[in-house]
Amino acid sequence: MSGHFNGGLSKQQDHELGHAEKHPPSSKLKNPLAGIPYDKLMSDVEQFAKDKEMTHILPLLRKGALVAQNPSAFESMPELEPDERKVLREEITHKWRQPFSLYATIATCSIGAAVQGWDQTGSNGANLSFPEEFGINTTSTRDTFLVGLVNAAPYIAAAFLGCWISDPLNFHFGRRGTIFFSAIFCLVSVIGAAFTRNWYELFVTRVILGIGMGSKASQPRCIQRRTLQPDGNQSINRWEGFMDSETYHMSEYALLRRNKIKIK
């Protein structure tokens, strides 16, 4: 690439591009604690505990920082107790020997994925009847636009409102608080949609649904990533994706059967 066609790049840029092609970046992120001296690491942990009002578990945080800095050397760390080394060892030798709380967390996150699948399917199902119910089922430009607007309302709201409030919600209330906030919006909106009498009331309820969907879209997955070990239990982690896709497909099939639509 650098020898024949450089697309107008300078020699320096061309050289850097060729170097990048020969030496692609590692797909594994560098450990942010690697190389920090022991005294500096312990000082940072102590400051973190003070800032977050977690000084009551400071010894545990110190051990966690040491293991996080060099996970493969936990067997030789004098700071760890024998039973703590055993637990860390079994994360490698017995990947499925996990506490019930871990499986409960993954199952709960999977339910969150299933709920979103049902919300999307409920919107799709309403598309079969609300245009006629609200008198916007003609082929005119206005009615076609209104049907599309109502149909896209959750995703418009998620893109322009829900996703943007996710970060401040996380900052003030944490991930669980953000999920609780979004769950209220998702619950209230679908109940309200059942009582709508015109297209703009349905549009408003779907905007509320979109705010809930957008604000929590990535939260269950983030909790999963921080709960599971990076090199293990990925089959457990894939359960959420399975639940999301299978719930969507099953609910779509039930919707088609209910409306007696043949599947070709």
Side-chain angles (χ1 to χ4, degrees), residues 8-34:
L9 298 176
S10 66
K11 291 184 178 180
Q12 177 65 22
Q13 291 172 322
D14 188 49
H15 172 75
E16 292 174 355
L17 182 58
H19 179 78
E21 289 175 342
K22 295 178 182 178
H23 305 280
S26 173
S27 60
K28 196 168 185 178
L29 297 178
K30 181 182 178 181
N31 188 339
L33 301 181

Short mmCIF file of all heavy atoms in Angstrom, two decimals, residues 8-34:
data_model
loop_
_atom_site.label_atom_id
_atom_site.label_comp_id
_atom_site.label_asym_id
_atom_site.label_seq_id
_atom_site.Cartn_x
_atom_site.Cartn_y
_atom_site.Cartn_z
N GLY A 8 -2.47 10.37 -1.52
CA GLY A 8 -2.16 11.74 -1.17
C GLY A 8 -1.58 11.90 0.22
O GLY A 8 -1.47 13.01 0.73
N LEU A 9 -1.18 10.80 0.88
CA LEU A 9 -0.61 10.90 2.21
C LEU A 9 0.82 11.40 2.13
O LEU A 9 1.54 11.19 1.15
CB LEU A 9 -0.62 9.52 2.89
CG LEU A 9 -2.00 8.87 3.13
CD1 LEU A 9 -1.80 7.48 3.73
CD2 LEU A 9 -2.85 9.73 4.05
N SER A 10 1.26 12.06 3.20
CA SER A 10 2.65 12.47 3.27
C SER A 10 3.52 11.23 3.54
O SER A 10 3.02 10.17 3.89
CB SER A 10 2.83 13.48 4.41
OG SER A 10 2.59 12.85 5.66
N LYS A 11 4.85 11.39 3.37
CA LYS A 11 5.74 10.26 3.61
C LYS A 11 5.66 9.78 5.06
O LYS A 11 5.71 8.58 5.34
CB LYS A 11 7.17 10.65 3.26
CG LYS A 11 7.40 10.87 1.77
CD LYS A 11 8.86 11.17 1.49
CE LYS A 11 9.11 11.35 0.00
NZ LYS A 11 10.53 11.64 -0.29
N GLN A 12 5.53 10.74 5.99
CA GLN A 12 5.45 10.37 7.40
C GLN A 12 4.17 9.58 7.68
O GLN A 12 4.18 8.56 8.36
CB GLN A 12 5.50 11.63 8.28
CG GLN A 12 5.35 11.37 9.78
CD GLN A 12 6.51 10.57 10.33
OE1 GLN A 12 7.60 10.55 9.76
NE2 GLN A 12 6.28 9.89 11.46
N GLN A 13 3.04 10.08 7.12
CA GLN A 13 1.78 9.38 7.33
C GLN A 13 1.80 8.02 6.67
O GLN A 13 1.28 7.04 7.21
CB GLN A 13 0.63 10.22 6.74
CG GLN A 13 0.36 11.51 7.52
CD GLN A 13 -0.64 12.39 6.79
OE1 GLN A 13 -0.62 12.49 5.56
NE2 GLN A 13 -1.51 13.04 7.56
N ASP A 14 2.42 7.94 5.50
CA ASP A 14 2.50 6.67 4.79
C ASP A 14 3.33 5.67 5.58
O ASP A 14 3.00 4.49 5.67
CB ASP A 14 3.12 6.91 3.41
CG ASP A 14 3.05 5.67 2.53
OD1 ASP A 14 1.96 5.09 2.44
OD2 ASP A 14 4.09 5.31 1.96
N HIS A 15 4.43 6.15 6.17
CA HIS A 15 5.28 5.28 6.98
C HIS A 15 4.53 4.76 8.21
O HIS A 15 4.60 3.57 8.54
CB HIS A 15 6.54 6.04 7.41
CG HIS A 15 7.37 5.28 8.40
ND1 HIS A 15 8.17 4.21 8.05
CD2 HIS A 15 7.51 5.43 9.75
CE1 HIS A 15 8.77 3.74 9.13
NE2 HIS A 15 8.39 4.47 10.17
N GLU A 16 3.79 5.66 8.87
CA GLU A 16 3.04 5.27 10.07
C GLU A 16 1.94 4.26 9.72
O GLU A 16 1.68 3.32 10.48
CB GLU A 16 2.42 6.50 10.72
CG GLU A 16 3.46 7.44 11.33
CD GLU A 16 2.84 8.71 11.85
OE1 GLU A 16 1.62 8.90 11.65
OE2 GLU A 16 3.56 9.51 12.47
N LEU A 17 1.31 4.46 8.56
CA LEU A 17 0.27 3.53 8.15
C LEU A 17 0.85 2.15 7.86
O LEU A 17 0.30 1.12 8.26
CB LEU A 17 -0.45 4.06 6.90
CG LEU A 17 -1.61 3.22 6.35
CD1 LEU A 17 -2.67 3.04 7.42
CD2 LEU A 17 -2.20 3.86 5.11
N GLY A 18 1.99 2.12 7.18
CA GLY A 18 2.64 0.84 6.92
C GLY A 18 3.08 0.15 8.19
O GLY A 18 2.96 -1.07 8.34
N HIS A 19 3.55 0.93 9.17
CA HIS A 19 3.95 0.35 10.46
C HIS A 19 2.74 -0.24 11.18
O HIS A 19 2.84 -1.32 11.79
CB HIS A 19 4.61 1.43 11.32
CG HIS A 19 5.03 0.93 12.67
ND1 HIS A 19 6.17 0.18 12.86
CD2 HIS A 19 4.44 1.06 13.89
CE1 HIS A 19 6.28 -0.11 14.14
NE2 HIS A 19 5.25 0.40 14.79
N ALA A 20 1.60 0.45 11.09
CA ALA A 20 0.39 -0.03 11.76
C ALA A 20 -0.10 -1.33 11.14
O ALA A 20 -0.62 -2.20 11.80
CB ALA A 20 -0.71 1.04 11.69
N GLU A 21 0.09 -1.47 9.81
CA GLU A 21 -0.35 -2.68 9.14
C GLU A 21 0.52 -3.88 9.56
O GLU A 21 0.03 -4.99 9.71
CB GLU A 21 -0.28 -2.49 7.63
CG GLU A 21 -1.35 -1.54 7.10
CD GLU A 21 -1.19 -1.28 5.61
OE1 GLU A 21 -0.08 -1.56 5.09
OE2 GLU A 21 -2.14 -0.81 4.98
N LYS A 22 1.82 -3.61 9.77
CA LYS A 22 2.73 -4.69 10.15
C LYS A 22 2.61 -5.03 11.62
O LYS A 22 2.87 -6.15 12.03
CB LYS A 22 4.17 -4.29 9.83
CG LYS A 22 4.45 -4.13 8.34
CD LYS A 22 5.88 -3.68 8.11
CE LYS A 22 6.16 -3.47 6.64
NZ LYS A 22 7.55 -2.98 6.41
N HIS A 23 2.21 -4.06 12.43
CA HIS A 23 2.13 -4.26 13.88
C HIS A 23 0.74 -3.86 14.36
O HIS A 23 0.56 -2.76 14.91
CB HIS A 23 3.20 -3.44 14.60
CG HIS A 23 4.59 -3.73 14.10
ND1 HIS A 23 5.31 -4.82 14.50
CD2 HIS A 23 5.38 -3.05 13.21
CE1 HIS A 23 6.48 -4.81 13.89
NE2 HIS A 23 6.55 -3.75 13.11
N PRO A 24 -0.28 -4.68 14.12
CA PRO A 24 -1.64 -4.32 14.55
C PRO A 24 -1.73 -4.23 16.06
O PRO A 24 -1.01 -4.93 16.78
CB PRO A 24 -2.49 -5.49 14.01
CG PRO A 24 -1.52 -6.63 13.89
CD PRO A 24 -0.21 -6.01 13.52
N PRO A 25 -2.60 -3.35 16.58
CA PRO A 25 -2.73 -3.21 18.03
C PRO A 25 -3.29 -4.47 18.66
O PRO A 25 -4.06 -5.22 18.04
CB PRO A 25 -3.72 -2.04 18.18
CG PRO A 25 -4.46 -2.02 16.88
CD PRO A 25 -3.49 -2.47 15.84
N SER A 26 -2.88 -4.71 19.89
CA SER A 26 -3.37 -5.89 20.60
C SER A 26 -4.84 -5.75 20.92
O SER A 26 -5.31 -4.66 21.27
CB SER A 26 -2.57 -6.07 21.90
OG SER A 26 -3.12 -7.12 22.68
N SER A 27 -5.57 -6.86 20.79
CA SER A 27 -7.00 -6.84 21.10
C SER A 27 -7.24 -6.86 22.60
O SER A 27 -8.36 -6.66 23.05
CB SER A 27 -7.69 -8.04 20.45
OG SER A 27 -7.13 -9.25 20.94
N LYS A 28 -6.19 -7.12 23.38
CA LYS A 28 -6.32 -7.18 24.83
C LYS A 28 -5.86 -5.86 25.44
O LYS A 28 -4.74 -5.40 25.19
CB LYS A 28 -5.49 -8.34 25.37
CG LYS A 28 -5.87 -8.72 26.79
CD LYS A 28 -5.22 -10.04 27.18
CE LYS A 28 -5.69 -10.49 28.55
NZ LYS A 28 -5.10 -11.81 28.91
N LEU A 29 -6.72 -5.24 26.23
CA LEU A 29 -6.39 -3.96 26.83
C LEU A 29 -5.30 -4.11 27.88
O LEU A 29 -5.24 -5.12 28.60
CB LEU A 29 -7.64 -3.34 27.46
CG LEU A 29 -8.78 -3.00 26.50
CD1 LEU A 29 -9.97 -2.45 27.29
CD2 LEU A 29 -8.33 -1.97 25.47
N LYS A 30 -4.47 -3.11 27.99
CA LYS A 30 -3.40 -3.12 28.98
C LYS A 30 -3.98 -2.94 30.37
O LYS A 30 -4.89 -2.14 30.59
CB LYS A 30 -2.41 -2.00 28.68
CG LYS A 30 -1.24 -1.95 29.64
CD LYS A 30 -0.31 -0.80 29.31
CE LYS A 30 0.84 -0.73 30.30
NZ LYS A 30 1.75 0.42 30.01
N ASN A 31 -3.45 -3.69 31.33
CA ASN A 31 -3.89 -3.58 32.72
C ASN A 31 -3.53 -2.20 33.25
O ASN A 31 -2.35 -1.84 33.30
CB ASN A 31 -3.21 -4.67 33.56
CG ASN A 31 -3.77 -4.74 34.98
OD1 ASN A 31 -4.36 -3.78 35.48
ND2 ASN A 31 -3.58 -5.88 35.61
N PRO A 32 -4.50 -1.38 33.66
CA PRO A 32 -4.18 -0.02 34.12
C PRO A 32 -3.38 0.02 35.42
O PRO A 32 -2.79 1.05 35.75
CB PRO A 32 -5.56 0.62 34.31
CG PRO A 32 -6.49 -0.53 34.52
CD PRO A 32 -5.94 -1.66 33.69
N LEU A 33 -3.35 -1.10 36.16
CA LEU A 33 -2.60 -1.13 37.42
C LEU A 33 -1.18 -1.66 37.23
O LEU A 33 -0.37 -1.60 38.17
CB LEU A 33 -3.32 -2.01 38.45
CG LEU A 33 -4.75 -1.58 38.82
CD1 LEU A 33 -5.34 -2.53 39.85
CD2 LEU A 33 -4.78 -0.15 39.34
N ALA A 34 -0.87 -2.15 36.04
CA ALA A 34 0.44 -2.74 35.81
C ALA A 34 1.53 -1.68 35.95
O ALA A 34 1.41 -0.58 35.43
CB ALA A 34 0.50 -3.37 34.42
#
